[in-house]
PDB file of all heavy atoms in Angstrom:
ATOM      1  N   SER A   1     108.989  84.711  91.835  1.00  0.00           N
ATOM      2  CA  SER A   1     107.676  85.310  91.571  1.00  0.00           C
ATOM      3  C   SER A   1     106.698  85.093  92.721  1.00  0.00           C
ATOM      4  O   SER A   1     105.685  85.791  92.809  1.00  0.00           O
ATOM      5  CB  SER A   1     107.098  84.728  90.277  1.00  0.00           C
ATOM      6  OG  SER A   1     106.948  83.314  90.391  1.00  0.00           O
ATOM      7  N   ASP A   2     106.981  84.115  93.593  1.00  0.00           N
ATOM      8  CA  ASP A   2     106.090  83.851  94.723  1.00  0.00           C
ATOM      9  C   ASP A   2     106.548  84.587  95.976  1.00  0.00           C
ATOM     10  O   ASP A   2     106.161  84.218  97.096  1.00  0.00           O
ATOM     11  CB  ASP A   2     105.984  82.350  94.995  1.00  0.00           C
ATOM     12  CG  ASP A   2     107.336  81.713  95.290  1.00  0.00           C
ATOM     13  OD1 ASP A   2     108.364  82.330  94.981  1.00  0.00           O
ATOM     14  OD2 ASP A   2     107.349  80.594  95.839  1.00  0.00           O
ATOM     15  N   LEU A   3     107.319  85.633  95.834  1.00  0.00           N
ATOM     16  CA  LEU A   3     107.741  86.448  96.970  1.00  0.00           C
ATOM     17  C   LEU A   3     106.813  87.654  97.082  1.00  0.00           C
ATOM     18  O   LEU A   3     106.691  88.446  96.151  1.00  0.00           O
ATOM     19  CB  LEU A   3     109.194  86.901  96.794  1.00  0.00           C
ATOM     20  CG  LEU A   3     109.818  87.672  97.963  1.00  0.00           C
ATOM     21  CD1 LEU A   3     111.312  87.371  98.066  1.00  0.00           C
ATOM     22  CD2 LEU A   3     109.631  89.192  97.788  1.00  0.00           C
ATOM     23  N   LYS A   4     106.121  87.778  98.214  1.00  0.00           N
ATOM     24  CA  LYS A   4     105.255  88.924  98.463  1.00  0.00           C
ATOM     25  C   LYS A   4     106.048  89.977  99.231  1.00  0.00           C
ATOM     26  O   LYS A   4     106.707  89.663 100.221  1.00  0.00           O
ATOM     27  CB  LYS A   4     104.026  88.504  99.273  1.00  0.00           C
ATOM     28  CG  LYS A   4     103.147  87.469  98.575  1.00  0.00           C
ATOM     29  CD  LYS A   4     102.526  88.040  97.313  1.00  0.00           C
ATOM     30  CE  LYS A   4     101.497  87.086  96.720  1.00  0.00           C
ATOM     31  NZ  LYS A   4     102.085  85.806  96.267  1.00  0.00           N
ATOM     32  N   PRO A   5     106.011  91.247  98.811  1.00  0.00           N
ATOM     33  CA  PRO A   5     106.831  92.278  99.441  1.00  0.00           C
ATOM     34  C   PRO A   5     106.372  92.618 100.855  1.00  0.00           C
ATOM     35  O   PRO A   5     105.219  92.384 101.230  1.00  0.00           O
ATOM     36  CB  PRO A   5     106.665  93.481  98.506  1.00  0.00           C
ATOM     37  CG  PRO A   5     105.351  93.248  97.824  1.00  0.00           C
ATOM     38  CD  PRO A   5     105.229  91.760  97.678  1.00  0.00           C
ATOM     39  N   MET A   6     107.271  93.217 101.620  1.00  0.00           N
ATOM     40  CA  MET A   6     107.010  93.528 103.021  1.00  0.00           C
ATOM     41  C   MET A   6     105.826  94.477 103.192  1.00  0.00           C
ATOM     42  O   MET A   6     105.007  94.293 104.104  1.00  0.00           O
ATOM     43  CB  MET A   6     108.264  94.132 103.650  1.00  0.00           C
ATOM     44  CG  MET A   6     108.132  94.450 105.139  1.00  0.00           C
ATOM     45  SD  MET A   6     107.945  92.955 106.152  1.00  0.00           S
ATOM     46  CE  MET A   6     109.637  92.338 106.123  1.00  0.00           C
ATOM     47  N   ASN A   7     105.719  95.497 102.341  1.00  0.00           N
ATOM     48  CA  ASN A   7     104.626  96.459 102.509  1.00  0.00           C
ATOM     49  C   ASN A   7     103.260  95.801 102.344  1.00  0.00           C
ATOM     50  O   ASN A   7     102.277  96.200 102.974  1.00  0.00           O
ATOM     51  CB  ASN A   7     104.789  97.628 101.538  1.00  0.00           C
ATOM     52  CG  ASN A   7     104.677  97.217 100.081  1.00  0.00           C
ATOM     53  OD1 ASN A   7     105.004  96.082  99.723  1.00  0.00           O
ATOM     54  ND2 ASN A   7     104.225  98.121  99.236  1.00  0.00           N
ATOM     55  N   GLU A   8     103.186  94.759 101.502  1.00  0.00           N
ATOM     56  CA  GLU A   8     101.929  94.038 101.318  1.00  0.00           C
ATOM     57  C   GLU A   8     101.576  93.224 102.568  1.00  0.00           C
ATOM     58  O   GLU A   8     100.407  93.147 102.959  1.00  0.00           O
ATOM     59  CB  GLU A   8     102.040  93.117 100.103  1.00  0.00           C
ATOM     60  CG  GLU A   8     100.713  92.548  99.643  1.00  0.00           C
ATOM     61  CD  GLU A   8     100.815  91.843  98.306  1.00  0.00           C
ATOM     62  OE1 GLU A   8     101.600  92.293  97.455  1.00  0.00           O
ATOM     63  OE2 GLU A   8     100.114  90.832  98.131  1.00  0.00           O
ATOM     64  N   VAL A   9     102.575  92.646 103.210  1.00  0.00           N
ATOM     65  CA  VAL A   9     102.348  91.878 104.434  1.00  0.00           C
ATOM     66  C   VAL A   9     101.892  92.800 105.563  1.00  0.00           C
ATOM     67  O   VAL A   9     100.944  92.486 106.299  1.00  0.00           O
ATOM     68  CB  VAL A   9     103.633  91.124 104.852  1.00  0.00           C
ATOM     69  CG1 VAL A   9     103.352  90.245 106.057  1.00  0.00           C
ATOM     70  CG2 VAL A   9     104.167  90.296 103.706  1.00  0.00           C
ATOM     71  N   VAL A  10     102.554  93.936 105.705  1.00  0.00           N
ATOM     72  CA  VAL A  10     102.173  94.909 106.729  1.00  0.00           C
ATOM     73  C   VAL A  10     100.741  95.374 106.500  1.00  0.00           C
ATOM     74  O   VAL A  10      99.956  95.531 107.445  1.00  0.00           O
ATOM     75  CB  VAL A  10     103.146  96.105 106.730  1.00  0.00           C
ATOM     76  CG1 VAL A  10     102.648  97.207 107.662  1.00  0.00           C
ATOM     77  CG2 VAL A  10     104.543  95.650 107.142  1.00  0.00           C
ATOM     78  N   ARG A  11     100.391  95.589 105.233  1.00  0.00           N
ATOM     79  CA  ARG A  11      99.035  95.992 104.890  1.00  0.00           C
ATOM     80  C   ARG A  11      98.024  94.930 105.331  1.00  0.00           C
ATOM     81  O   ARG A  11      96.979  95.251 105.897  1.00  0.00           O
ATOM     82  CB  ARG A  11      98.949  96.217 103.372  1.00  0.00           C
ATOM     83  CG  ARG A  11      97.545  96.393 102.817  1.00  0.00           C
ATOM     84  CD  ARG A  11      96.951  97.724 103.165  1.00  0.00           C
ATOM     85  NE  ARG A  11      95.577  97.849 102.713  1.00  0.00           N
ATOM     86  CZ  ARG A  11      94.782  98.856 103.005  1.00  0.00           C
ATOM     87  NH1 ARG A  11      95.222  99.843 103.752  1.00  0.00           N
ATOM     88  NH2 ARG A  11      93.543  98.890 102.576  1.00  0.00           N
ATOM     89  N   ARG A  12      98.334  93.679 105.084  1.00  0.00           N
ATOM     90  CA  ARG A  12      97.430  92.592 105.470  1.00  0.00           C
ATOM     91  C   ARG A  12      97.255  92.531 106.993  1.00  0.00           C
ATOM     92  O   ARG A  12      96.146  92.304 107.494  1.00  0.00           O
ATOM     93  CB  ARG A  12      97.960  91.253 104.954  1.00  0.00           C
ATOM     94  CG  ARG A  12      97.977  91.107 103.449  1.00  0.00           C
ATOM     95  CD  ARG A  12      96.588  91.132 102.867  1.00  0.00           C
ATOM     96  NE  ARG A  12      96.591  90.889 101.435  1.00  0.00           N
ATOM     97  CZ  ARG A  12      95.517  90.987 100.663  1.00  0.00           C
ATOM     98  NH1 ARG A  12      94.366  91.336 101.191  1.00  0.00           N
ATOM     99  NH2 ARG A  12      95.606  90.765  99.367  1.00  0.00           N
ATOM    100  N   ILE A  13      98.329  92.714 107.723  1.00  0.00           N
ATOM    101  CA  ILE A  13      98.236  92.701 109.190  1.00  0.00           C
ATOM    102  C   ILE A  13      97.365  93.857 109.664  1.00  0.00           C
ATOM    103  O   ILE A  13      96.521  93.697 110.561  1.00  0.00           O
ATOM    104  CB  ILE A  13      99.642  92.760 109.812  1.00  0.00           C
ATOM    105  CG1 ILE A  13     100.405  91.474 109.502  1.00  0.00           C
ATOM    106  CG2 ILE A  13      99.554  92.969 111.331  1.00  0.00           C
ATOM    107  CD1 ILE A  13     101.863  91.503 109.930  1.00  0.00           C
ATOM    108  N   ASP A  14      97.533  95.024 109.065  1.00  0.00           N
ATOM    109  CA  ASP A  14      96.689  96.174 109.413  1.00  0.00           C
ATOM    110  C   ASP A  14      95.219  95.875 109.123  1.00  0.00           C
ATOM    111  O   ASP A  14      94.328  96.245 109.907  1.00  0.00           O
ATOM    112  CB  ASP A  14      97.128  97.410 108.629  1.00  0.00           C
ATOM    113  CG  ASP A  14      98.465  97.967 109.108  1.00  0.00           C
ATOM    114  OD1 ASP A  14      98.878  97.620 110.236  1.00  0.00           O
ATOM    115  OD2 ASP A  14      99.091  98.739 108.348  1.00  0.00           O
ATOM    116  N   GLU A  15      94.957  95.216 107.992  1.00  0.00           N
ATOM    117  CA  GLU A  15      93.576  94.858 107.651  1.00  0.00           C
ATOM    118  C   GLU A  15      92.975  93.929 108.700  1.00  0.00           C
ATOM    119  O   GLU A  15      91.798  94.080 109.086  1.00  0.00           O
ATOM    120  CB  GLU A  15      93.533  94.191 106.280  1.00  0.00           C
ATOM    121  CG  GLU A  15      93.809  95.123 105.123  1.00  0.00           C
ATOM    122  CD  GLU A  15      93.937  94.409 103.792  1.00  0.00           C
ATOM    123  OE1 GLU A  15      94.046  93.163 103.794  1.00  0.00           O
ATOM    124  OE2 GLU A  15      93.927  95.085 102.747  1.00  0.00           O
ATOM    125  N   CYS A  16      93.757  92.976 109.168  1.00  0.00           N
ATOM    126  CA  CYS A  16      93.259  92.043 110.184  1.00  0.00           C
ATOM    127  C   CYS A  16      92.946  92.769 111.490  1.00  0.00           C
ATOM    128  O   CYS A  16      91.929  92.489 112.141  1.00  0.00           O
ATOM    129  CB  CYS A  16      94.270  90.927 110.413  1.00  0.00           C
ATOM    130  SG  CYS A  16      94.426  89.779 109.037  1.00  0.00           S
ATOM    131  N   ASN A  17      93.806  93.686 111.883  1.00  0.00           N
ATOM    132  CA  ASN A  17      93.543  94.461 113.101  1.00  0.00           C
ATOM    133  C   ASN A  17      92.304  95.330 112.934  1.00  0.00           C
ATOM    134  O   ASN A  17      91.498  95.471 113.867  1.00  0.00           O
ATOM    135  CB  ASN A  17      94.760  95.319 113.450  1.00  0.00           C
ATOM    136  CG  ASN A  17      95.891  94.502 114.059  1.00  0.00           C
ATOM    137  OD1 ASN A  17      95.651  93.625 114.889  1.00  0.00           O
ATOM    138  ND2 ASN A  17      97.120  94.773 113.653  1.00  0.00           N
ATOM    139  N   THR A  18      92.130  95.898 111.737  1.00  0.00           N
ATOM    140  CA  THR A  18      90.913  96.664 111.466  1.00  0.00           C
ATOM    141  C   THR A  18      89.689  95.754 111.520  1.00  0.00           C
ATOM    142  O   THR A  18      88.643  96.123 112.075  1.00  0.00           O
ATOM    143  CB  THR A  18      90.998  97.330 110.079  1.00  0.00           C
ATOM    144  OG1 THR A  18      92.084  98.250 110.069  1.00  0.00           O
ATOM    145  CG2 THR A  18      89.716  98.078 109.750  1.00  0.00           C
ATOM    146  N   GLY A  19      89.817  94.558 110.937  1.00  0.00           N
ATOM    147  CA  GLY A  19      88.704  93.606 110.962  1.00  0.00           C
ATOM    148  C   GLY A  19      88.284  93.245 112.365  1.00  0.00           C
ATOM    149  O   GLY A  19      87.086  93.144 112.676  1.00  0.00           O
ATOM    150  N   LYS A  20      89.248  93.045 113.255  1.00  0.00           N
ATOM    151  CA  LYS A  20      88.939  92.717 114.648  1.00  0.00           C
ATOM    152  C   LYS A  20      88.156  93.851 115.305  1.00  0.00           C
ATOM    153  O   LYS A  20      87.175  93.621 116.025  1.00  0.00           O
ATOM    154  CB  LYS A  20      90.233  92.446 115.419  1.00  0.00           C
ATOM    155  CG  LYS A  20      90.928  91.156 115.015  1.00  0.00           C
ATOM    156  CD  LYS A  20      92.296  91.027 115.652  1.00  0.00           C
ATOM    157  CE  LYS A  20      92.214  90.941 117.174  1.00  0.00           C
ATOM    158  NZ  LYS A  20      93.543  90.736 117.775  1.00  0.00           N
ATOM    159  N   LYS A  21      88.588  95.095 115.058  1.00  0.00           N
ATOM    160  CA  LYS A  21      87.910  96.251 115.656  1.00  0.00           C
ATOM    161  C   LYS A  21      86.493  96.405 115.113  1.00  0.00           C
ATOM    162  O   LYS A  21      85.549  96.658 115.868  1.00  0.00           O
ATOM    163  CB  LYS A  21      88.717  97.519 115.381  1.00  0.00           C
ATOM    164  CG  LYS A  21      90.055  97.589 116.094  1.00  0.00           C
ATOM    165  CD  LYS A  21      90.821  98.843 115.701  1.00  0.00           C
ATOM    166  CE  LYS A  21      92.195  98.875 116.371  1.00  0.00           C
ATOM    167  NZ  LYS A  21      92.976 100.071 115.934  1.00  0.00           N
ATOM    168  N   LEU A  22      86.340  96.247 113.807  1.00  0.00           N
ATOM    169  CA  LEU A  22      85.018  96.425 113.203  1.00  0.00           C
ATOM    170  C   LEU A  22      84.052  95.334 113.644  1.00  0.00           C
ATOM    171  O   LEU A  22      82.868  95.603 113.892  1.00  0.00           O
ATOM    172  CB  LEU A  22      85.139  96.436 111.681  1.00  0.00           C
ATOM    173  CG  LEU A  22      85.902  97.613 111.065  1.00  0.00           C
ATOM    174  CD1 LEU A  22      85.974  97.473 109.545  1.00  0.00           C
ATOM    175  CD2 LEU A  22      85.244  98.939 111.425  1.00  0.00           C
ATOM    176  N   MET A  23      84.538  94.104 113.757  1.00  0.00           N
ATOM    177  CA  MET A  23      83.649  93.017 114.183  1.00  0.00           C
ATOM    178  C   MET A  23      83.275  93.130 115.654  1.00  0.00           C
ATOM    179  O   MET A  23      82.204  92.674 116.065  1.00  0.00           O
ATOM    180  CB  MET A  23      84.302  91.666 113.907  1.00  0.00           C
ATOM    181  CG  MET A  23      84.337  91.295 112.437  1.00  0.00           C
ATOM    182  SD  MET A  23      84.772  89.555 112.157  1.00  0.00           S
ATOM    183  CE  MET A  23      83.293  88.740 112.774  1.00  0.00           C
ATOM    184  N   ALA A  24      84.152  93.738 116.455  1.00  0.00           N
ATOM    185  CA  ALA A  24      83.850  93.917 117.878  1.00  0.00           C
ATOM    186  C   ALA A  24      82.794  94.992 118.097  1.00  0.00           C
ATOM    187  O   ALA A  24      82.185  95.054 119.173  1.00  0.00           O
ATOM    188  CB  ALA A  24      85.124  94.271 118.638  1.00  0.00           C
ATOM    189  N   ASP A  25      82.553  95.830 117.085  1.00  0.00           N
ATOM    190  CA  ASP A  25      81.579  96.912 117.202  1.00  0.00           C
ATOM    191  C   ASP A  25      80.735  96.965 115.938  1.00  0.00           C
ATOM    192  O   ASP A  25      80.817  97.907 115.152  1.00  0.00           O
ATOM    193  CB  ASP A  25      82.305  98.246 117.429  1.00  0.00           C
ATOM    194  CG  ASP A  25      81.346  99.389 117.718  1.00  0.00           C
ATOM    195  OD1 ASP A  25      80.216  99.117 118.174  1.00  0.00           O
ATOM    196  OD2 ASP A  25      81.731 100.555 117.477  1.00  0.00           O
ATOM    197  N   PRO A  26      79.907  95.928 115.692  1.00  0.00           N
ATOM    198  CA  PRO A  26      79.143  95.863 114.437  1.00  0.00           C
ATOM    199  C   PRO A  26      78.136  96.997 114.320  1.00  0.00           C
ATOM    200  O   PRO A  26      77.579  97.466 115.317  1.00  0.00           O
ATOM    201  CB  PRO A  26      78.450  94.499 114.514  1.00  0.00           C
ATOM    202  CG  PRO A  26      78.390  94.181 115.971  1.00  0.00           C
ATOM    203  CD  PRO A  26      79.611  94.786 116.577  1.00  0.00           C
ATOM    204  N   VAL A  27      77.909  97.435 113.090  1.00  0.00           N
ATOM    205  CA  VAL A  27      76.939  98.494 112.810  1.00  0.00           C
ATOM    206  C   VAL A  27      75.554  97.868 112.692  1.00  0.00           C
ATOM    207  O   VAL A  27      75.397  96.726 112.264  1.00  0.00           O
ATOM    208  CB  VAL A  27      77.326  99.231 111.508  1.00  0.00           C
ATOM    209  CG1 VAL A  27      76.347 100.367 111.218  1.00  0.00           C
ATOM    210  CG2 VAL A  27      78.746  99.774 111.620  1.00  0.00           C
ATOM    211  N   ASN A  28      74.549  98.624 113.057  1.00  0.00           N
ATOM    212  CA  ASN A  28      73.176  98.122 113.076  1.00  0.00           C
ATOM    213  C   ASN A  28      72.578  98.142 111.667  1.00  0.00           C
ATOM    214  O   ASN A  28      71.900  99.074 111.267  1.00  0.00           O
ATOM    215  CB  ASN A  28      72.325  98.973 114.028  1.00  0.00           C
ATOM    216  CG  ASN A  28      70.963  98.356 114.273  1.00  0.00           C
ATOM    217  OD1 ASN A  28      70.741  97.181 114.018  1.00  0.00           O
ATOM    218  ND2 ASN A  28      70.042  99.153 114.777  1.00  0.00           N
ATOM    219  N   TYR A  29      72.892  97.113 110.916  1.00  0.00           N
ATOM    220  CA  TYR A  29      72.327  96.932 109.579  1.00  0.00           C
ATOM    221  C   TYR A  29      71.401  95.716 109.580  1.00  0.00           C
ATOM    222  O   TYR A  29      71.569  94.783 110.358  1.00  0.00           O
ATOM    223  CB  TYR A  29      73.420  96.648 108.539  1.00  0.00           C
ATOM    224  CG  TYR A  29      74.410  97.746 108.298  1.00  0.00           C
ATOM    225  CD1 TYR A  29      75.765  97.548 108.562  1.00  0.00           C
ATOM    226  CD2 TYR A  29      74.022  98.972 107.765  1.00  0.00           C
ATOM    227  CE1 TYR A  29      76.699  98.549 108.315  1.00  0.00           C
ATOM    228  CE2 TYR A  29      74.950  99.975 107.518  1.00  0.00           C
ATOM    229  CZ  TYR A  29      76.281  99.759 107.803  1.00  0.00           C
ATOM    230  OH  TYR A  29      77.203 100.738 107.559  1.00  0.00           O
ATOM    231  N   SER A  30      70.451  95.735 108.659  1.00  0.00           N
ATOM    232  CA  SER A  30      69.731  94.519 108.292  1.00  0.00           C
ATOM    233  C   SER A  30      70.108  94.214 106.854  1.00  0.00           C
ATOM    234  O   SER A  30      69.966  95.062 105.979  1.00  0.00           O
ATOM    235  CB  SER A  30      68.219  94.717 108.412  1.00  0.00           C
ATOM    236  OG  SER A  30      67.531  93.634 107.825  1.00  0.00           O
ATOM    237  N   ILE A  31      70.652  93.017 106.604  1.00  0.00           N
ATOM    238  CA  ILE A  31      71.130  92.659 105.268  1.00  0.00           C
ATOM    239  C   ILE A  31      70.320  91.461 104.786  1.00  0.00           C
ATOM    240  O   ILE A  31      70.454  90.357 105.303  1.00  0.00           O
ATOM    241  CB  ILE A  31      72.635  92.335 105.290  1.00  0.00           C
ATOM    242  CG1 ILE A  31      73.418  93.541 105.825  1.00  0.00           C
ATOM    243  CG2 ILE A  31      73.123  91.958 103.904  1.00  0.00           C
ATOM    244  CD1 ILE A  31      74.903  93.294 105.967  1.00  0.00           C
ATOM    245  N   LYS A  32      69.467  91.689 103.789  1.00  0.00           N
ATOM    246  CA  LYS A  32      68.557  90.657 103.300  1.00  0.00           C
ATOM    247  C   LYS A  32      68.799  90.374 101.822  1.00  0.00           C
ATOM    248  O   LYS A  32      68.968  91.293 101.017  1.00  0.00           O
ATOM    249  CB  LYS A  32      67.097  91.108 103.487  1.00  0.00           C
ATOM    250  CG  LYS A  32      66.620  91.107 104.934  1.00  0.00           C
ATOM    251  CD  LYS A  32      66.298  89.703 105.396  1.00  0.00           C
ATOM    252  CE  LYS A  32      65.602  89.710 106.750  1.00  0.00           C
ATOM    253  NZ  LYS A  32      65.242  88.351 107.177  1.00  0.00           N
ATOM    254  N   ASN A  33      68.796  89.100 101.479  1.00  0.00           N
ATOM    255  CA  ASN A  33      68.906  88.708 100.082  1.00  0.00           C
ATOM    256  C   ASN A  33      67.723  89.288  99.304  1.00  0.00           C
ATOM    257  O   ASN A  33      66.585  89.250  99.767  1.00  0.00           O
ATOM    258  CB  ASN A  33      68.920  87.182  99.981  1.00  0.00           C
ATOM    259  CG  ASN A  33      69.324  86.692  98.613  1.00  0.00           C
ATOM    260  OD1 ASN A  33      68.617  86.881  97.636  1.00  0.00           O
ATOM    261  ND2 ASN A  33      70.480  86.043  98.543  1.00  0.00           N
ATOM    262  N   ALA A  34      67.995  89.850  98.124  1.00  0.00           N
ATOM    263  CA  ALA A  34      66.940  90.471  97.327  1.00  0.00           C
ATOM    264  C   ALA A  34      65.938  89.463  96.797  1.00  0.00           C
ATOM    265  O   ALA A  34      64.878  89.850  96.293  1.00  0.00           O
ATOM    266  CB  ALA A  34      67.544  91.258  96.166  1.00  0.00           C
ATOM    267  N   GLY A  35      66.250  88.177  96.895  1.00  0.00           N
ATOM    268  CA  GLY A  35      65.269  87.154  96.582  1.00  0.00           C
ATOM    269  C   GLY A  35      65.392  86.551  95.198  1.00  0.00           C
ATOM    270  O   GLY A  35      66.188  86.985  94.357  1.00  0.00           O
ATOM    271  N   THR A  36      64.590  85.518  94.983  1.00  0.00           N
ATOM    272  CA  THR A  36      64.676  84.732  93.752  1.00  0.00           C
ATOM    273  C   THR A  36      64.194  85.495  92.525  1.00  0.00           C
ATOM    274  O   THR A  36      64.512  85.103  91.401  1.00  0.00           O
ATOM    275  CB  THR A  36      63.862  83.438  93.899  1.00  0.00           C
ATOM    276  OG1 THR A  36      62.517  83.766  94.283  1.00  0.00           O
ATOM    277  CG2 THR A  36      64.467  82.529  94.952  1.00  0.00           C
TER     278      THR A  36
END
């Protein structure tokens, strides 16, 4: 039951590569906590 299939691993690697690209080119947002 603790075996993760190959397609799930490939998906995770793709997500990491996407994450690297997105973080290298951040979008101009201002993100503020809505407050107490």
